[in-house]
Amino acid sequence: MTKPTLDDQAFKAELADLIPHLRAFARSLCGNATAADDLAQEAMLKAWKARESYQAGTNLKAWAFTILRNLFYSEKRRSWRRQQLDPEVAEATLVASDNTSSAIDLLALRNGLTVLPEDQREALVLVGAGGLSYEEAAEICDCAVGTIKSRVSRARKALMEILENNEARYSGDKAISASEAFDDIMRQADELSRDTPEHARN
Amino acid sequence: MMSDEAKPDVETERSRKVRQRRLGDQLRRIYEDVTTEPVPDEFLNLLEQADQSSNKK
């Protein structure tokens, strides 16, 4: 037992500082804010209980994210599973921004994130938003660094396509109103999540 | 000659990079929208409770 450990109070303070990140990562996995907070709380308590297995000097965020992610995947039957784009979140996205086109972009991106395969989404969120290195993300997701890199790049490509289509759709002289764009994106989200075969009969 | 042929590629590459950066900014924004929210009291209360009960042991 020569591993350096943090004392409990120091650990608690560092864990408390991480709560916003646990919530953000959980939100990206769950979609629904209430379910995400539930998951983040359980992960926080699990991390606290496991504090003796944390090695001081290593990345606490990556360590805690691993716990959160394992919890998420080990309890698939819980209500944590990501649902389609949450209409409340969608609406808040539009309301929060005074710039309609950037709000529509964000909304399309949120929508795009919900339709990405889970493994790609988590890789992109960890590396692209959460500030983790490829190596740390690989550890969190329990896969090779190369796998993370390819997931991130596929996710990025898919989302960039979504944003480009979005641009073509909602910009230009005849820019449609925010509420029309909202309805349209929600309809797309609905269709994608239902996994409809094709619009065979137009 | 070489540079003439390379030009469109450079343009495409640049516009791809701009888009990629914009995507990155937006992703971070979605994430930061959550990290900048005030943390619900419940979290710290739960952590405090867990700490208290482990002290009792």
Side-chain angles (χ1 to χ4, degrees), chain A residues 18-57:
Chain A
L18 273 182
I19 293 171
H21 291 274
L22 291 174
R23 297 182 73 220
F25 183 41
R27 194 86 60 97
S28 76
L29 292 172
C30 300
N32 172 293
T34 312
D37 269 358
D38 214 43
L39 172 62
Q41 280 174 7
E42 282 208 32
M44 176 191 75
L45 292 175
K46 232 181 158 179
W48 171 255
K49 282 192 194 127
R51 62 191 178 281
E52 276 167 23
S53 69
Y54 168 71
Q55 219 175 316

Side-chain angles (χ1 to χ4, degrees), chain A residues 12 21 23 27 164, chain B residues 19 22 31 37 48 51:
Chain A
K12 190 169 77 174
H21 291 274
R23 297 182 73 220
R27 194 86 60 97
E164 267 160 48
Chain B
R19 283 163 192 281
R22 213 182 61 186
Y31 186 90
E37 273 176 24
E48 211 48 58
D51 185 21

Side-chain angles (χ1 to χ4, degrees), chain A residues 9-185:
Chain A
Q9 290 319 297
F11 184 90
K12 190 169 77 174
E14 286 195 28
L15 186 58
D17 285 346
L18 273 182
I19 293 171
H21 291 274
L22 291 174
R23 297 182 73 220
F25 183 41
R27 194 86 60 97
S28 76
L29 292 172
C30 300
N32 172 293
T34 312
D37 269 358
D38 214 43
L39 172 62
Q41 280 174 7
E42 282 208 32
M44 176 191 75
L45 292 175
K46 232 181 158 179
W48 171 255
K49 282 192 194 127
R51 62 191 178 281
E52 276 167 23
S53 69
Y54 168 71
Q55 219 175 316
T58 60
N59 188 334
L60 183 65
K61 186 165 150 190
W63 182 82
F65 275 17
T66 309
I67 291 174
L68 187 145
R69 182 182 177 275
N70 287 343
L71 203 52
F72 176 73
Y73 285 109
S74 68
E75 307 209 23
K76 294 198 173 189
R77 280 158 295 146
R78 300 270 301 253
S79 57
W80 292 334
R81 309 305 294 176
R82 178 174 259 277
Q83 307 290 309
Q84 65 222 59
L85 186 63
D86 185 340
E88 271 179 42
V89 173
E91 222 158 346
T93 302
L94 280 187
V95 173
S97 176
D98 46 8
N99 178 338
T100 305
S101 79
S102 85
I104 293 173
D105 261 7
L106 270 184
L107 184 55
L109 181 58
R110 284 188 194 279
N111 186 28
L113 279 168
T114 67
V115 299
L116 279 183
E118 259 170 3
D119 57 354
Q120 290 183 28
R121 181 171 62 237
E122 67 183 6
L124 184 66
V125 167
L126 290 170
V127 174
L132 291 144
S133 67
Y134 284 115
E135 288 73 17
E136 286 163 346
E139 212 163 293
I140 291 167
C141 301
D142 194 22
C143 66
V145 176
T147 309
I148 286 291
K149 285 187 179 167
S150 94
R151 285 177 188 167
V152 169
S153 115
R154 271 181 292 156
R156 208 173 254 157
K157 190 163 170 263
L159 289 182
M160 273 163 59
E161 262 165 40
I162 288 172
L163 288 178
E164 267 160 48
N165 291 339
N166 189 53
E167 214 164 79
R169 212 174 168 117
Y170 306 120
S171 66
D173 300 337
K174 292 212 237 161
I176 64 174
S177 75
S179 70
E180 282 171 306
F182 174 78
D183 289 344
D184 194 34
I185 289 171

